Every structure is written in structure tokens, then in C-alpha cells.
Amino acid sequence: MTTLLVLRERIKTFYARFGGYMIRVLRFVLALAVFLTINRTIGYMERMSRDWMAVVAAVICACLPGSFTVVLAVVFVLIEMYAVSLEVLFVTAAVFVLFFCLYFVFQPGDSLLLVLMPLLFLCRIPLVIPLIMGLVGTAFSVIPVSFGIIVYYMLKYVRENVGVLASNGSLSMPGRYTQMINGILENREMWVMAAACCLTLLVVYLIRRLSVSHAWEIAIGVGTVTNVLLLFAGVFVADVSFPVSSLIVEALVAAACGLILEFFVFHLDYSRTERVQFEDDDYYYYVKAVPKVVVTQPEVTVTKINAKTSYNKGVEKELFQLRQELSNTAELFTAGKDLERTRVLFEKETGKKTNKMTENGEGQDGNRNKSV
């Protein structure tokens, strides 16, 4: 566990240092995935269904706020719906207008869920969103989650019935309106999935706000079971079919994602819980304080080994004395040379011969020279 905690702190430090660049990269990846998915699934207009346009749009979205990705994705979808028929375009536009009206009134800030839900449906892990948003979102997060589900099933219906809904199809204009609206409203699988996800989100949200120990773990467990039970209930009540094995796998993946999020966001040490009570003139206050689990990163110290430190002090002292003796010898040798040069010059100038000096300052005859 300590290793994981140290890894978490390092990840947080890395994010604090390079968070701006990481967010731009994630925006680019998300936008590219959204635009490529639109081109692959409902690419009815050939001019818009080109990969280079998706890349350019993703680069633009990476430099702008996340809500711009949603707006540009809606524009792409509406253009693709226009290629099918005007009736499909108007119905799709009405759904988006209704979403944006409710979104800006109740829950501004979660617009990315409108494109994340269809994307996760295609990845076969849609149950992750209601569980995660129940942990970090609010009760009003059900609005973008439910509309994301509606958008996925609406586009799925258009893709499966494009031959009937197209402007050159067999239906007339009123018939296409009726077909499109009925295809959305009578889709029982869509309503069961939306109801299960919204109720799961609310259950997780209410439990994780309780002042109990391990509230997030309890919310994750209860939310996972609630989601699976609601979908199974929809199978019997609404007569819809969900693959049981994939449903259980999706629920387990959602629970694993919730636990990872809890480890990074809300990992507490309940063994050191403190309860404080105090009052003022108007109220009594009962405070429950639970500390977070925090570890300090181990500091890496580098010791520089100098070659001099391996010497023995005695050896170093002997080397110093040897250098001093060599220096004295060199000085004596230089002084002897200077004296010899002085003697030679003196003989040239005066024409007198002097005895050669030995190292101890005596002449060759053994007597000390007298100064001239």
C-alpha cells in the first residue's frame, strides 16, 4: 500500500507540474475519438466524413474549453442528419435544444457527458459514467447523463433505419416526422437504461454524502448492485433484453473505476477519526474530522565520493612534508645557480679569479670566501 501511495503522490506532483499540457492532450484525444466515431457511424455526408477534418477539429478543440468540443460535435451531427433528411435534422436539433436549455439552467459544467455517454456505449462500458458522476458530481448530473443516453439511441435508430428516414425514401414528410419521433419515444430499452443510470447516480450521490466511515466504498458497492438490479428488473417489466454476461462485466469495470477514483480523491484514514464539539451564541457544532492518507515521497540523496577522502591522514601528512622538502631543495638549487652566475660575471669584469662555492658556502680550499 505504501508503494501505491508514493506512486499517487508522484502522479499528483507530475500533474501539478504538467497539468496544463496533459489537459490539452486529453482534450485532443477525446475530440479526435468523438469526431472519428461520428464519421464511422453516421458518416452520410462524404465531405464531412474525412479523417483530416476530424484531426483539424480535434486540434482546435484542444486549444479551447471542453464545452466547445460538445458544440462542435453537435454541429457535425446536425450536418450528418441534414444529409439524411430535413425531418431527421429538425427532430435531432429539437433534442439538442432541449438539452442545452435544461443544461444551462440546472447543471452547467458537465456538458462533456453528452458526448462521453455515446462514446462509452460504443466501448461497451456505459455504466461507468453514472457511478463516477455519483461520486464527483451532483444530483443534477442526471440531466447530461440521460440526454447522452437519448442521443446514443437516437443516432442508433437513425443508422438502423436510414433507408426509411431518408428524403428519397418511401415515407412522406409527415410520415418521416412520425417515424422519427415514435422511434425515440417508443424505445423501451433507452428508457430502461436512462432510468437505471439516473437512479444509480442518485443512490451513489446520496450515500457518498453520508457522514459514515467508508462512505465512498459503500456507495460504490451499493451503486453497482443497484444498477445491475434495475437493468434486470427492466428485462422483466419492460420486456427488453440485455446480455447478462456483458452487463455484469460492465458493472465490475465501473466498480473498479470507482475504486481507483476513490484512491486518488477520497482515500481517508478512518482509524484517526476525531470528533469535535463546540458552540457559539446561536449554535452547537458537532464536527467529525477524518484525515487523509498522505505519505511523504522519499528524498533521493546523491553522495559524491571525492578521491581525496579515501586517503589516510598520515599518508597525506607525509606527502605534504615530501612536497615541502622538494620545494626547499628546488630553492637551494636555484640559489646555487644564481651564485655561480654572479661569480662568472665578477671574474669577467675584474679579471680576478675566485674560488668556486660549494653548497655549504665554503671555497674549494676549504676556507669560507670573504666578501669583496
Side-chain angles (χ1 to χ4, degrees):
M1 180 60 72
T2 304
T3 304
L4 293 177
L5 292 173
V6 172
L7 178 62
R8 182 189 67 176
E9 296 301 322
R10 289 179 178 174
I11 292 174
K12 287 184 176 180
T13 303
F14 182 81
Y15 179 79
R17 186 176 180 182
F18 302 102
Y21 301 103
M22 293 174 63
I23 290 174
R24 287 183 176 86
V25 172
L26 291 176
R27 285 177 183 169
F28 171 79
V29 172
L30 176 61
L32 184 62
V34 170
F35 296 132
L36 289 178
T37 301
I38 293 173
N39 292 342
R40 298 292 189 274
T41 55
I42 55 172
Y44 303 122
M45 183 170 287
E46 296 182 359
R47 296 179 181 178
M48 296 292 297
S49 303
R50 297 179 180 178
D51 293 343
W52 67 268
M53 293 189 66
V55 174
V56 172
V59 171
I60 295 173
C61 292
C63 303
L64 296 174
S67 58
F68 186 81
T69 303
V70 179
V71 174
L72 198 57
V74 170
V75 172
F76 269 62
V77 170
L78 292 178
I79 293 174
E80 299 290 349
M81 295 298 102
Y82 172 76
V84 178
S85 66
L86 285 175
E87 295 78 16
V88 175
L89 170 64
F90 290 149
V91 175
T92 306
V95 173
F96 284 129
V97 168
L98 180 61
F99 163 72
F100 283 113
C101 290
L102 294 175
Y103 165 75
F104 285 112
V105 171
F106 293 102
Q107 184 59 22
D110 294 336
S111 59
L112 283 176
L113 296 178
L114 187 67
V115 296
L116 276 177
M117 283 303 300
L119 197 62
L120 292 182
F121 265 104
L122 295 175
C123 297
R124 300 185 181 278
I125 50 173
L127 303 185
V128 173
I129 293 296
L131 193 63
I132 296 299
M133 293 310 300
L135 293 174
V136 299
T138 64
F140 291 108
S141 298
V142 297
I143 296 174
V145 169
S146 58
F147 271 92
I149 296 172
I150 293 172
V151 168
Y152 167 74
Y153 280 99
M154 179 179 64
L155 298 180
K156 180 182 178 182
Y157 178 79
V158 172
R159 186 175 67 250
E160 294 174 352
N161 300 273
V162 64
V164 178
L165 298 173
S167 57
N168 55 359
S170 58
L171 293 177
S172 60
M173 181 183 294
R176 286 192 289 269
Y177 276 116
T178 304
Q179 184 77 12
M180 182 68 179
I181 295 173
N182 290 338
I184 298 173
L185 297 179
E186 295 178 0
N187 192 336
R188 288 177 293 182
E189 181 179 344
M190 178 188 72
W191 295 118
V192 169
M193 180 62 72
C197 290
C198 292
L199 289 176
T200 301
L201 190 152
L202 292 175
V203 168
V204 174
Y205 171 74
L206 293 175
I207 293 177
R208 66 99 171 172
R209 287 175 56 86
L210 295 177
S211 179
V212 296
S213 299
H214 305 281
W216 278 47
E217 290 89 343
I218 297 173
I220 292 169
V222 174
T224 302
V225 175
T226 301
N227 206 345
V228 173
L229 292 179
L230 289 174
L231 292 176
F232 279 145
V235 171
F236 296 103
V237 175
D239 193 19
V240 295
S241 61
F242 293 105
V244 178
S245 58
S246 63
L247 190 64
I248 295 176
V249 171
E250 291 174 13
L252 293 177
V253 171
C257 293
L259 292 175
I260 293 173
L261 179 66
E262 184 269 340
F263 178 75
F264 280 94
V265 178
F266 200 77
H267 193 54
L268 305 181
D269 185 6
Y270 291 98
S271 62
R272 296 190 293 126
T273 302
E274 298 180 2
R275 298 181 183 274
V276 182
Q277 177 181 349
F278 57 93
E279 63 176 295
D280 59 12
D281 295 336
D282 299 319
Y283 295 97
Y284 281 95
Y285 299 92
Y286 300 90
V287 180
K288 178 182 178 181
V290 184
K292 295 181 179 180
V293 178
V294 179
V295 294
T296 56
Q297 300 185 35
E299 296 183 359
V300 179
T301 57
V302 178
T303 304
K304 185 176 180 180
I305 301 176
N306 195 347
K308 293 183 178 180
T309 58
S310 62
Y311 291 158
N312 193 326
K313 291 184 178 180
V315 176
E316 187 175 358
K317 185 177 181 181
E318 292 178 2
L319 288 174
F320 177 76
Q321 293 176 355
L322 180 61
R323 285 194 294 268
Q324 190 173 9
E325 291 177 1
L326 290 175
S327 177
N328 296 334
T329 304
E331 290 178 358
L332 291 173
F333 184 74
T334 303
K337 282 186 176 182
D338 293 340
L339 185 60
E340 182 67 20
R341 289 174 184 173
T342 303
R343 184 183 67 79
V344 172
L345 290 174
F346 180 78
E347 289 178 353
K348 288 182 180 180
E349 293 291 337
T350 61
K352 297 180 180 181
K353 293 184 178 180
T354 58
N355 295 328
K356 188 176 180 180
M357 299 294 293
T358 60
E359 292 181 359
N360 56 4
E362 298 179 352
Q364 291 181 349
D365 56 356
N367 298 324
R368 185 175 297 277
N369 292 328
K370 298 180 180 180
S371 58
V372 177

